[in-house]
């Protein structure tokens, strides 16, 4: 039972203070502030130990939330960090980027009252940061090396979680990635004001300390043959993400000043990593229109603000309640000066006569219930209008991008290109090829960090158990 059962009556929900708007828009530093130790413990004491931890159920990795909140209340930070890592190999990252309002905190029993949920994500972040600062590292001293070796393709959250799980089971994990740094979208997609890149670098040190080997700048299919990996390793995990653009097919999308969301965000992150000024993306005095209302759209909005845009307008074809991303990110965008235009469908990007953007033509929409779940936006004829724009950023989402070598090795894909896993009695995350496992965005389509982490963790556990069974001659993973 909680040390102070009725703490929630006396102490309101109080997340760490964010950096003031006037300061945060001047740079790319993380805007989420940090707890001081007594605040974290006091906020943890707001947990009422309700006995039905819906928060755990709603957390995709099923963190033992009430249990680690108790350890935080007792000041047992290192033990809390150890418990967090039993279910989540990247807790400091999920604590920062999970849309908690839709997951753990949205399901907290206190959230159903006027008192507001426990600040679960911020506590998770604070505990891990603090434990790592104090020198905490995963203890693998009890782990017996099995001699098995696995190739992990992709150093995004799915691949990292898989590698972590494999090392905990005494399996060697070699992680291949085409990029020069680990993290996948954690490093190159999510902007630094949401996730400082130093956090990912620290996690790399932790994983290397666990014996994970990173082979970076090695794209499978270009620098390394997939077949060679299958020959060399006992099993392969594929966590290559989802990078095919949803193309809105808008007339005028070839005009100068039109950008696709991810190349824009990646180029800006790489520029910041090289400490270079914004030249291509100098948005000073420019009117920017962002098309799309997901998390990536919010990142584009807020990056455009930091690039000095005179105005940023975000156009979304449904209403605010239907936005697919985190409400927190929408609020941050608004606080930082973004204007939202709901119920608008872009129909064309307009030319100024010199091959450059001058605006976006939109039409108003109404939501129509078609009886198959989510209401669909329908254009209202005659309601067209033009928005002024010097820059347009298209952010319509991503589809799977299965590498050609997967199908060539007999891995079944869905009609939309997702890797099929766990079908017909297969192990969790096992594909139709018994020695190939997959997870993250390439299995689910574009989704969340924490779900990629879940898949990677489950895949690591499946691979380890399949290899153990194989060693015991109950062959389930055949060479
Ligand atoms: C701009 C943006 C913002 C986002 N914000 C959030 C957020 O706030 N919260 C949240 O939960 N989620 C967010 N997401 C979603 C989240 O980042 C993804 O769901 C998650 O990163 C998927 O993890 P993954 O490991 O499957 O793939 P990825 O992170 O895409 O990693 C895949 C890795 O595989 C590598 N790779 C691909 N092909 C090969 C190959 N042939 N050989 C070697 N390496 C290869 C890539 O280089 C990459 O490093 C965001 C996504 C974007 C685009
Ligand atoms: S991993 Fe994400 S959903 Fe789960 S407890 Fe942490 S912040 Fe909440």
């Amino acid at each position: 039972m909680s040390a102070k059962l009725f703490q929630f009556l006396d102490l309101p929900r109080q997340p760490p203070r964010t950096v003031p708007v006037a300061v945060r828009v001047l740079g790319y530093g993380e805007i989420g502030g940090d707890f001081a130790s007594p605040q974290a413990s006091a906020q943890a004491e707001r947990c009422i130990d309700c006995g039905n931890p819906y928060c755990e159920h709603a957390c995709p990795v099923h963190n033992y939330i009430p249990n680690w909140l108790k350890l935080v209340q007792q000041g047992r930070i290192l033990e809390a960090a150890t418990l967090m890592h039993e279910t989540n190999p990247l807790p400091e990252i999920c604590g920062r980027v999970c849309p908690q309002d839709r997951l753990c905190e949205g399901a907290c029993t206190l959230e159903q009252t006027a008192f507001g949920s426990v600040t679960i994500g911020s506590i998770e972040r604070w505990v891990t940061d603090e434990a790592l600062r104090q020198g905490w590292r995963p203890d693998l001293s009890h782990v017996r090396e099995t001699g098995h070796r696995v190739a992990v393709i992709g150093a995004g959250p799915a691949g990292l979680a898989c590698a972590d799980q494999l090392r905990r089971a005494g399996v060697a994990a070699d992680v291949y990635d085409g990029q020069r740094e680990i993290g996948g979208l954690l490093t190159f997609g999510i902007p630094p004001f949401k996730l400082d890149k130093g956090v990912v670098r620290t996690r790399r040190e932790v994983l290397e300390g666990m014996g994970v080997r990173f082979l970076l700048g090695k794209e499978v299919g270009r620098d390394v043959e997939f077949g060679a990996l299958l020959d060399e390793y006992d099993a392969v995990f594929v966590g290559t993400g989802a990078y095919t653009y949803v193309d809105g097919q808008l007339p005028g999308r070839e005009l100068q000043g039109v950008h696709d969301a991810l190349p824009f965000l990646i180029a800006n992150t790489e520029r910041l990593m090289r400490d270079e000024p914004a030249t291509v993306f100098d948005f000073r005095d420019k009117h920017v229109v962002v098309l799309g209302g997901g998390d990536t759209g919010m990142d584009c909005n807020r990056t455009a603000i930091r690039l000095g845009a005179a105005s940023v307008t975000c156009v979304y074809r449904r209403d605010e309640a239907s936005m697919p991303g985190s409400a927190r990110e929408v609020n941050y965008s608004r606080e930082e000066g973004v204007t939202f235009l709901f119920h608008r469908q872009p129909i064309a990007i307009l030319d100024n006569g010199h091959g450059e953007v001058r605006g976006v033509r939109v039409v108003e929409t109404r939501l129509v219930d078609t009886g198959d779940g989510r209401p669909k936006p329908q254009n209202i004829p005659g309601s067209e209008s033009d928005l002024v724009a010097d820059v347009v950023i298209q952010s319509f989402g991503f589809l799977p991008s299965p590498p050609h070598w997967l199908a060539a090795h007999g891995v079944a894909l869905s009609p939309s290109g997702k890797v099929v896993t766990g079908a017909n009695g297969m192990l969790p995350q096992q594909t139709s090829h018994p020695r190939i496992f997959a997870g993250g965005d390439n299995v689910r389509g574009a989704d969340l960090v924490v779900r990629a982490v879940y898949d990677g963790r489950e895949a690591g556990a499946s691979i380890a158990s399949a290899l153990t069974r194989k060693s015991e001659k109950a062959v389930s993973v055949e060479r």
Side-chain angles (χ1 to χ4, degrees):
M1 184 158 292
S2 173
K4 294 184 188 164
L5 189 56
F6 297 108
Q7 175 85 318
F8 73 97
L9 292 176
D10 303 327
L11 185 71
R13 172 187 158 89
Q14 185 66 70
R17 230 171 261 207
T18 52
V19 176
V21 174
V23 177
R24 69 166 102 130
V25 296
L26 298 176
Y28 290 85
E30 272 190 5
I31 74 152
D34 221 346
F35 281 128
S37 172
Q39 282 172 300
S41 155
Q43 288 295 315
E45 277 173 2
R46 293 185 69 252
C47 175
I48 57 172
D49 201 6
C50 59
N52 252 335
Y54 296 113
C55 55
E56 270 189 29
H57 179 69
C59 165
V61 291
H62 308 305
N63 273 337
Y64 305 129
I65 298 167
N67 303 60
W68 45 250
L69 287 174
K70 263 180 223 144
L71 292 170
V72 177
Q73 292 163 21
Q74 296 160 6
R76 295 158 65 186
I77 303 306
L78 304 187
E79 288 160 82
T82 300
L83 186 59
M84 284 175 178
H85 281 79
E86 280 188 21
T87 47
N88 186 354
L90 307 177
E92 75 289 17
I93 292 173
C94 290
R96 284 171 165 84
V97 303
C98 273
Q100 285 99 9
D101 48 323
R102 289 198 278 131
L103 301 173
C104 53
E105 295 180 13
C108 172
T109 301
L110 281 180
E111 184 65 14
Q112 320 310 322
T113 68
F115 299 103
S117 64
V118 177
T119 54
I120 299 167
S122 309
I123 294 172
E124 187 178 23
R125 166 194 164 160
W126 176 80
V127 165
T128 327
D129 284 353
E130 184 57 27
L132 291 172
R133 261 196 297 271
Q134 291 183 24
W136 177 91
R137 293 295 182 269
D139 177 10
L140 302 194
S141 57
H142 61 286
V143 170
R144 197 173 49 85
E145 295 295 339
T146 61
H148 291 128
R149 299 173 65 235
V150 170
V152 173
I153 305 174
L160 298 181
C162 181
D164 173 287
Q165 193 66 40
L166 290 169
R167 289 305 300 129
R168 288 170 188 273
V171 177
D174 287 353
V175 183
Y176 292 80
D177 201 297
Q179 299 281 1
R180 295 265 160 207
E181 195 40 84
I182 74 158
L185 290 172
L186 300 177
T187 296
F188 295 102
I190 299 179
F193 47 80
K194 274 164 68 178
L195 175 62
D196 185 272
K197 304 309 160 193
V199 174
V200 185
R201 280 197 296 276
T202 302
R203 183 49 62 175
R204 177 175 174 176
E205 285 166 30
V206 172
L207 288 165
E208 285 175 334
M210 295 169 73
V212 175
R213 213 160 63 108
F214 290 107
L215 296 106
L216 302 177
K218 300 241 179 271
E219 184 180 314
V220 175
R222 185 191 64 192
D223 308 306
V224 188
E225 281 305 313
F226 182 69
L229 296 181
L230 262 185
D231 289 343
E232 185 185 342
Y233 291 90
D234 295 295
V236 179
F237 173 76
V238 183
T240 46
Y243 289 93
T244 304
Y245 268 98
V246 175
D247 182 352
Q249 301 282 335
L250 290 178
R253 64 191 183 285
E254 71 293 345
L255 292 171
Q256 203 177 323
V258 180
H259 304 282
D260 287 329
L262 195 54
F264 162 66
L265 291 172
I266 291 176
N268 195 52
T269 299
E270 287 180 335
R271 163 187 88 75
L272 290 168
M273 287 165 104
R274 291 192 303 268
D275 207 13
E276 285 174 2
T279 45
V280 183
F281 299 126
D282 185 351
F283 288 176
R284 276 175 295 181
D285 302 326
K286 295 193 173 156
H287 298 284
V288 178
V289 172
V290 174
L291 306 178
D295 276 335
T296 304
M298 299 311 113
D299 291 346
C300 293
N301 286 335
R302 300 174 63 202
T303 301
I305 292 276
R306 283 159 178 76
L307 289 166
S311 72
V312 179
T313 306
C314 182
V315 175
Y316 182 55
R317 61 193 178 141
R318 293 186 160 91
D319 57 4
E320 182 163 1
S322 312
M323 291 181 93
S326 157
R328 180 185 61 194
E329 298 302 320
V330 176
N331 289 340
Y332 287 153
S333 287
R334 207 173 252 133
E335 280 175 10
E336 292 173 10
V338 174
T339 303
F340 285 90
L341 259 188
F342 295 107
H343 289 292
R344 298 290 193 292
Q345 172 76 50
I347 49 176
I349 302 175
L350 308 173
D351 190 338
N352 69 356
H354 305 285
E356 298 161 348
V357 173
R358 77 168 168 83
V360 180
R361 181 152 301 154
V362 295
V363 62
E364 290 181 27
T365 63
R366 69 168 79 87
L367 290 180
V368 178
D369 196 348
T370 52
D372 59 350
R374 204 172 176 211
K376 292 212 163 36
Q378 199 175 68
N379 295 352
I380 302 174
S383 64
E384 294 81 0
S385 61
D386 293 349
L387 309 175
V388 173
D390 308 297
V391 173
V392 174
I393 303 172
Q394 305 186 96
S395 178
F396 297 128
F398 306 93
L399 297 170
S401 46
H404 64 87
W405 34 259
L406 274 179
H409 284 83
V411 172
L413 304 175
S414 76
S416 64
K418 293 180 193 169
V419 182
V420 176
T421 60
N424 298 332
M426 291 288 187
L427 293 168
Q429 309 306 136
Q430 191 172 31
T431 70
S432 53
H433 185 302
R435 286 200 299 123
I436 303 174
F437 296 72
D441 282 2
N442 64 2
V443 166
R444 296 172 178 271
D447 204 316
L448 291 176
V449 169
V450 66
R451 294 210 178 95
V453 165
Y454 174 81
D455 286 357
R457 186 191 83 186
E458 293 299 289
S462 288
I463 295 170
S465 84
L467 293 176
T468 307
R469 272 193 273 158
K470 182 185 162 205
S471 307
E472 292 166 359
K473 304 284 183 226
V475 182
S476 121
V477 174
E478 292 173 355
R479 299 202 72 149

